[in-house]
Amino acid sequence: MKSFFKNVLANIVAMVILSVLFFFFFIIIIVIGSASDSSSVEVKKNSVLTINLKTDIIDSPTEVQKDFFAFNKKSSEVLIYDAVEAIKKAKDDKNIEGISIEADYLNAGITQIDDLRAAILDFKKTGKFVLAYGNSVSQSAYYLGSVADEYYLNPSGGIELKGLSTEVTFFKDFAEKYGIGIEVIRHGKFKSAVEPFIANGISPENKEQLSTLLNDVWNSTSSKIAVSRKIDLPQFKIIVDSLYGMIPEESVKFKLADKLIQKTEYDQILKAKLKLNDKDKLYKISLNKYVDSFKDEDKSGDKIAILYASGSINSGDEYNEIYSEKYLQYIKDLQKDKKVKAVVLRINSPGGSANASDEILFELQQLKKKKPLIVSFGDYAASGGYYIAMAADKIYSQPNTLTGSIGVFGVLPYFKELANKNGVRSDVVATNANSAYYSSLNGISPHGVAMITKSVEGTYRRFVYFVTQNRKKSFEQIDAVGGGRVWSGTRAKEIGLVDELGSLNDAVKFAAGKANLNNYKVKSYPEEKSSVKQIFEGMNEDDISAKVLKNKIGESNYEILMQLTDKKLKSEVKMEMPFHIIID
């Protein structure tokens, strides 16, 4: 017995010691990480500003997510506004001699790449060089890299230049096979978010809008690549259709690349541009480090606030994406902040909860009464994302933005047949006629369908009403371009859903003019959370499980699974766009 107690005591002591050691190890990591984050960045003479694989271009501070295992890794995320400002600053920076694009894959949205390309084209006017190098290059990375004076490719590399396509996944047969019932209520024949649950193929209306969207985006993208590479458009179409970029020799033959060389040879070309000797060191500074060299400059005085709304719109109080309780407080804080003279609302959202969108719109309308409110669209500003823009004094979209989707829907899954097949049944005891109008086992009652339909129709009318007020058009005019249809930014400008085609930086400049500001600082809201806070908040069971599952089955498959299992599907009326366009 004495031996037993000795072993137990020894184990307890060992556990305590390990816990203490782990705690101190964690503290050391925090200290090292904090010291690393706060270290100043020196831009050396004869430096090359480099856009590489380690750079993630993001739209909002809420997109930065750290976990414990990545805690001490230096953050590589750069806000698109900061990225464009960095390239503008590099124009006049005597220490920056040129730009090198060295990304095979680019983690950035299409409108973000548009902004980077435009900034680099402007940079080239200084006479400084822009070169690019690739190995196995994705379409998005080539779209950016093609802006360079010269494009170099690895002899065993390739360029995946293929155009755009979309693939829609349908669950109707799956649901019927396993006895899952899905009740769908929608307004708008183009509101295709619900099609995967009620059909086995793309409807003519959805095929029409998808074809128009893809062609709008690809025509804009491909023409820019063709102009940069000095290829006429008919020839460029043949090159893309034939997948010539996948073969390195064909890439050179058809002018997608200038020469096949190894990376070491490419670095020698950079040295020659800088007039360096073989023994001289080549100084490259990444985009995120270059931003760090100036982003903490004095922020006192008058401010233009950029309020980021990135991700789906939900009810609740979470930091990532757009949660109504958090956003209402952000907006109220901006109303009260006397140093903030104007607000630019940057929207990069496919929509979400109708109720949460309505709450946010109301508070933005109150903000607009006190100071200028300008809206800038990113990759997406559709459905609920478009709805919250209706408080704006002016709306800027980019040509490749997906916007509109003025429509409403509700989806209610139930499992009566599946349950019955497996011997599960239920009886209901209720106080009123429709106390159990909806049940996951018994489905939805006819009166429940009627009332939800009425709710969807009422929400749609409210949606269109706010659009008519902001866009100064009649209900009939908006209804004609509504019905859930998604438009490119270019077409949205043509039909009057937005005011101007322009970037986030253009919106900031306009906001400054509207507020009569000559000297001002730009401040981002919400502020990025500290690494420590992100890690501890991301250590709950649900978040860890979601990350593990996403890593196991892949992000796209995870999103499909969420369409079938997300509890929010059955909880509220939705204003949401059904798809994203990625140029990879």
Side-chain angles (χ1 to χ4, degrees):
M1 184 64 72
K2 186 184 282 188
S3 174
F4 171 77
F5 282 116
K6 271 186 179 180
N7 288 334
V8 170
L9 186 60
N11 284 328
I12 292 172
V13 171
M15 288 174 64
V16 170
I17 291 171
L18 283 172
S19 298
V20 171
L21 287 174
F22 179 81
F23 175 76
F24 279 109
F25 173 71
F26 188 63
I27 293 296
I28 289 167
I29 288 177
I30 291 174
V31 171
I32 293 171
S34 300
S36 171
D37 287 345
S38 62
S39 59
S40 60
V41 176
E42 181 187 357
V43 184
K44 298 182 183 296
K45 190 177 179 182
N46 282 336
S47 289
V48 178
L49 181 60
T50 308
I51 300 171
N52 55 28
L53 288 168
K54 296 177 182 177
T55 304
D56 293 342
I57 306 297
I58 60 173
D59 221 75
S60 163
T62 60
E63 294 174 40
V64 178
Q65 295 189 47
K66 284 186 178 293
D67 56 41
F68 175 77
F69 300 103
F71 180 77
N72 202 33
K73 291 181 182 177
K74 179 66 177 172
S75 176
S76 62
E77 295 91 356
V78 181
L79 289 175
I80 183 58
Y81 180 84
D82 290 338
V84 171
E85 286 297 298
I87 295 169
K88 286 166 62 178
K89 185 179 180 66
K91 286 170 56 181
D92 301 317
D93 190 334
K94 293 179 181 178
N95 291 326
I96 299 293
E97 297 293 338
I99 292 175
S100 178
I101 303 168
E102 303 174 16
D104 287 352
Y105 173 78
L106 198 63
N107 192 7
I110 189 167
T111 61
Q112 295 163 354
I113 301 174
D114 286 334
D115 283 351
L116 288 176
R117 273 186 121 261
I120 293 171
L121 281 169
D122 186 54
F123 175 89
K124 288 170 70 172
K125 293 175 184 175
T126 62
K128 296 182 179 182
F129 67 83
V130 177
L131 300 182
Y133 182 85
N135 290 286
S136 296
V137 187
S138 70
Q139 191 160 248
S140 59
Y142 185 71
Y143 178 40
L144 179 65
S146 64
V147 77
D149 305 315
E150 296 167 353
Y151 195 99
Y152 297 95
L153 186 66
N154 187 280
S156 62
I159 300 166
E160 192 180 34
L161 193 59
K162 58 188 179 180
L164 299 179
S165 66
T166 187
E167 186 174 6
V168 182
T169 306
F170 294 90
F171 305 109
K172 182 175 181 289
D173 285 351
F174 172 86
E176 289 176 357
K177 179 179 178 180
Y178 291 101
I180 302 170
I182 300 174
E183 189 73 43
V184 169
I185 300 159
R186 64 173 171 172
H187 183 105
K189 62 182 180 179
F190 290 100
K191 200 66 186 173
S192 56
V194 298
E195 276 194 4
F197 306 111
I198 61 175
N200 287 319
I202 301 174
S203 67
E205 294 84 4
N206 194 22
K207 188 171 286 188
E208 177 191 337
Q209 76 166 341
L210 285 172
S211 177
T212 301
L213 275 172
L214 289 173
N215 279 291
D216 280 354
V217 174
W218 182 246
N219 288 341
S220 169
T221 303
S222 61
S223 62
K224 289 174 185 175
I225 297 174
V227 168
S228 292
R229 295 302 305 165
K230 298 180 175 61
I231 305 170
D232 65 76
L233 280 172
Q235 177 69 5
F236 186 75
K237 186 179 186 306
I238 293 171
I239 293 168
V240 175
D241 289 345
S242 304
L243 300 176
Y244 286 145
M246 296 177 73
I247 311 300
E249 292 79 14
E250 299 291 318
S251 293
V252 174
K253 178 181 176 181
F254 291 100
K255 300 195 291 187
L256 297 179
D258 293 288
K259 195 174 181 181
L260 303 179
I261 60 174
Q262 297 290 343
K263 183 70 185 309
T264 302
E265 295 174 293
Y266 175 73
D267 285 344
Q268 292 301 319
I269 291 173
L270 290 177
K271 279 190 171 185
K273 288 281 185 184
L274 298 169
K275 298 179 181 176
L276 299 177
N277 297 318
D278 287 342
K279 294 180 181 179
D280 293 331
K281 187 172 181 180
L282 176 61
Y283 289 110
K284 293 182 181 180
I285 182 166
S286 64
L287 190 60
N288 54 299
K289 284 188 176 179
Y290 189 61
V291 168
D292 288 341
S293 73
F294 67 84
K295 74 174 182 180
D296 292 326
E297 291 173 355
D298 179 35
K299 298 287 183 184
S300 61
D302 292 335
K303 297 175 186 174
I304 302 290
I306 301 178
L307 175 60
Y308 291 96
S310 182
S312 63
I313 300 174
N314 310 284
S315 298
D317 190 29
E318 296 181 36
Y319 173 74
N320 298 106
E321 299 195 318
I322 308 165
Y323 283 85
S324 56
E325 287 183 40
K326 273 274 192 292
Y327 264 78
L328 299 186
Q329 193 57 55
Y330 297 151
I331 297 164
K332 288 174 183 176
D333 289 345
L334 289 172
Q335 286 182 41
K336 296 172 187 173
D337 193 333
K338 293 181 180 178
K339 289 185 177 179
V340 173
K341 304 301 181 182
V343 177
V344 175
L345 176 65
R346 172 66 167 190
I347 300 174
N348 195 29
S349 171
S353 162
N355 177 256
S357 300
D358 198 76
E359 287 186 290
I360 292 169
L361 174 62
F362 175 80
E363 212 56 56
L364 287 168
Q365 289 170 333
Q366 308 317 301
L367 173 65
K368 179 185 173 182
K369 293 175 183 177
K370 297 185 177 181
K371 46 192 83 175
L373 176 63
I374 312 302
V375 166
S376 166
F377 288 168
D379 284 356
Y380 313 98
S383 217
Y386 185 74
Y387 187 85
I388 65 174
M390 293 303 98
D393 291 304
K394 189 168 187 173
I395 299 174
Y396 281 84
S397 176
Q398 295 181 255
N400 289 331
T401 295
L402 303 191
T403 188
S405 194
I406 301 167
V408 185
F409 70 92
V411 178
L412 295 97
Y414 57 93
F415 308 94
K416 183 175 183 178
E417 189 178 337
L418 175 64
N420 290 345
K421 282 179 180 177
N422 290 277
V424 178
R425 287 172 177 78
S426 68
D427 281 332
V428 175
V429 178
T431 60
N432 292 79
N434 281 287
S435 294
Y437 77 90
Y438 171 72
S439 160
S440 59
L441 284 180
N442 288 314
I444 185 168
S445 70
H447 189 69
V449 171
M451 296 309 291
I452 292 175
T453 301
K454 190 173 181 180
S455 173
V456 165
E457 293 297 330
T459 303
Y460 179 75
R461 287 193 298 272
R462 184 171 175 82
F463 193 159
V464 175
Y465 167 77
F466 285 121
V467 179
T468 62
Q469 297 300 296
N470 185 271
R471 306 316 304 159
K472 308 290 188 292
K473 291 181 180 291
S474 68
F475 184 95
E476 291 72 22
Q477 286 174 308
I478 297 302
D479 191 40
V481 297
R485 180 156 187 172
V486 182
W487 304 92
S488 68
T490 300
R491 290 186 188 262
K493 171 70 167 62
E494 292 172 0
I495 60 180
L497 293 182
V498 303
D499 296 297
E500 296 286 348
L501 295 179
S503 67
L504 173 58
N505 299 66
D506 294 326
V508 169
K509 285 179 188 174
F510 182 84
K514 186 92 173 168
N516 297 314
L517 297 178
N518 292 317
N519 297 307
Y520 59 91
K521 302 294 181 184
V522 175
K523 177 76 172 172
S524 296
Y525 296 85
E527 294 184 2
E528 184 181 337
K529 276 189 178 180
S530 69
S531 301
V532 177
K533 228 176 187 182
Q534 287 187 54
I535 288 167
F536 279 114
E537 290 180 359
M539 289 181 78
N540 68 69
E541 186 178 339
D542 287 344
D543 282 349
I544 292 171
S545 299
K547 285 172 184 174
V548 170
L549 183 59
K550 194 181 292 187
N551 286 335
K552 286 287 185 186
I553 68 175
E555 190 164 347
S556 59
N557 290 329
Y558 178 80
E559 288 176 3
I560 291 171
L561 179 65
M562 288 300 99
Q563 287 184 58
L564 284 173
T565 60
D566 190 350
K567 63 184 179 182
K568 291 181 206 167
L569 274 176
K570 64 187 182 199
S571 64
E572 53 192 338
V573 175
K574 307 284 277 185
M575 298 175 177
E576 194 162 33
M577 188 178 66
F579 48 79
H580 293 177
I581 288 182
I582 301 170
I583 67 167
D584 278 343

